[in-house]
Amino acid sequence: MSSSQHQHKDEAPCEAATCEATLALTQDFSRPATLARVPQPSTLTSALGLPLFYLRAGTLSAKLLLSGGVAGAISRTATAPIDRLKFLLQVQDTQLITIRQGFRLMAAEGTYKAYFRGNGANVIKNVPETALKLTCNDRVKAMVAADGHTVMLSERLAIGGISGAVAQGTIYPMEVIQTRLAISPVGTYSGILDAFAKIVRQEGYFALFRGITPCMVGIIPYAGLDIAAFELMRERLHELYDDRPPPQHLLLAGMLSSTGAQLVAYPLGLIRTRLQAQGMGGAPLKYTGMFDVVRKTLQHEGVRGMYKGLTPNLMKIAPAAGISWFVFEESKRILHA
């Protein structure tokens, strides 16, 4: 790890708070904080299954992971209506609905919960996904980087891509469930467990992995470019500001890297969503695979069809990053990280 990657303790949450886009993967999560020996608590546990006492007095990595989970949950919930709108626009293959019409479709369901359908699955997968990416990053970096002190751009892309692929592959069924809850007619599924049970019973276990091919293909251009671009900008900011860059500059770097990566990888995300959405309730499959989605989308909807839902997807970057940064900072302060 280069000298610019060794950060002052107070800077950690800033970088991790841009983390939903950048994952804060430059931190060394393998080393525990130096703390006094404390007695083991017997009962009180956190939502992560970790002793809450140790989250306040234990390892820095556990505190940052919990803070990242809280920040991700709140930021994703705050932008959930925009996220659901994106899904609704992506699966509209026979007509072009506007953003206003998309919100009207949600409002027509008659309850505020309509704006948050699928958010529960999105929040639940946040902690294990982030933890896996953070854990894999250090391990993969040790295997891929020829020089432990200098990581080349190509190596950054490989590290980000492999770490993202492992995390996405592990939690992928939750991605399918999130999509189904977001786009299904009212009453199709009553919740996450009901969606899981009905998908397996009506469509088979492998339906939980529909769309995983474009997801894995998209990991390299998305996670790889996102992380690589952010690390390059972050290192430059550390050089310019003597290892103490302003938090708002790090936040902007995270937003820019995430936006660029999304523009490159977005069509693969649309392909994934359409594959995830098909076959609901055992209905005949509309697409045979990712290339069939591309062919039919271009044939019937043109190139613009590959970017349906892009506008709301970009709309949520700034508020999601800002909320995530603020909540991460506050969570870290409460946990004394």
Side-chain angles (χ1 to χ4, degrees):
M1 187 177 291
S2 66
S3 60
S4 65
Q5 288 175 304
H6 290 284
Q7 303 159 35
H8 296 282
K9 179 180 176 183
D10 291 340
E11 291 178 64
C14 310
E15 301 197 21
T18 63
C19 74
E20 278 243 83
T22 61
L23 308 174
L25 293 178
T26 55
Q27 304 224 25
D28 184 358
F29 277 75
S30 61
R31 294 183 297 175
T34 303
L35 295 162
R37 188 183 183 92
V38 291
Q40 174 144 5
S42 58
T43 55
L44 191 59
T45 58
S46 72
L48 292 177
L50 298 171
L52 185 59
F53 186 73
Y54 275 110
L55 286 174
R56 292 186 64 89
T59 64
L60 177 61
S61 59
K63 293 178 181 180
L64 292 177
L65 179 58
L66 177 61
S67 298
V70 173
I74 294 177
S75 66
R76 292 181 185 208
T77 300
T79 58
I82 302 177
D83 213 33
R84 190 185 174 202
L85 174 64
K86 177 195 72 174
F87 285 122
L88 291 174
L89 294 177
Q90 285 181 327
V91 297
Q92 296 297 322
D93 56 355
T94 58
Q95 60 180 327
L96 179 62
I97 65 172
T98 64
I99 291 177
R100 177 178 295 182
Q101 289 171 329
F103 277 119
R104 284 177 177 172
L105 285 175
M106 288 186 276
E109 295 180 18
T111 170
Y112 75 92
K113 293 181 180 179
Y115 296 96
F116 298 91
R117 285 176 56 191
N119 183 59
N122 194 26
V123 169
I124 290 173
K125 69 183 176 67
N126 175 47
V127 171
E129 181 182 11
T130 303
L132 283 167
K133 286 177 180 176
L134 292 169
T135 302
C136 290
N137 182 74
D138 285 339
R139 304 296 181 268
V140 176
K141 184 181 291 184
M143 293 187 293
V144 172
D147 183 346
H149 298 286
T150 304
V151 183
M152 305 299 293
L153 178 59
S154 59
E155 293 172 336
R156 294 183 197 275
L157 288 170
I159 292 167
I162 294 172
S163 300
V166 171
Q168 280 286 307
T170 303
I171 56 90
Y172 190 78
M174 290 298 288
E175 297 270 1
V176 176
I177 291 172
Q178 178 195 359
T179 299
R180 290 295 185 88
L181 291 172
I183 59 92
S184 61
V186 177
T188 304
Y189 307 113
S190 62
I192 295 172
L193 294 178
D194 185 53
F196 177 85
K198 285 183 177 177
I199 291 172
V200 172
R201 184 173 66 252
Q202 298 171 348
E203 306 169 51
Y205 177 76
F206 289 106
L208 292 169
F209 292 89
R210 283 192 188 131
I212 195 170
T213 300
C215 180
M216 293 295 105
V217 172
I219 287 296
I220 295 298
Y222 181 75
L225 288 174
D226 187 8
I227 294 167
F230 176 74
E231 283 200 359
L232 289 173
M233 287 187 283
R234 185 188 63 79
E235 288 181 359
R236 180 57 178 162
L237 288 171
H238 274 270
E239 292 174 2
L240 291 174
Y241 292 96
D242 193 25
D243 275 346
R244 297 190 67 86
Q248 62 270 25
H249 288 192
L250 292 170
L251 179 63
L252 179 60
M255 291 168 57
L256 290 174
S257 65
S258 183
T259 300
Q262 288 194 40
L263 289 172
V264 172
Y266 189 82
L268 288 166
L270 179 135
I271 294 169
R272 178 194 63 195
T273 299
R274 292 193 172 185
L275 289 173
Q276 290 173 339
Q278 69 173 347
M280 192 179 304
L285 299 183
K286 184 171 185 176
Y287 307 106
T288 59
M290 62 179 293
F291 292 111
D292 193 41
V293 177
V294 174
R295 182 181 64 81
K296 290 180 178 177
T297 301
L298 292 176
Q299 180 181 351
H300 300 293
E301 305 166 63
V303 176
R304 289 184 62 184
M306 300 297 298
Y307 289 89
K308 281 184 176 178
L310 177 62
T311 299
N313 202 48
L314 295 177
M315 283 169 54
K316 74 175 185 178
I317 291 178
I323 294 168
S324 183
W325 173 79
F326 175 78
V327 175
F328 199 103
E329 185 78 7
E330 290 301 302
S331 300
K332 179 253 185 184
R333 181 182 61 80
I334 292 171
L335 292 171
H336 308 302

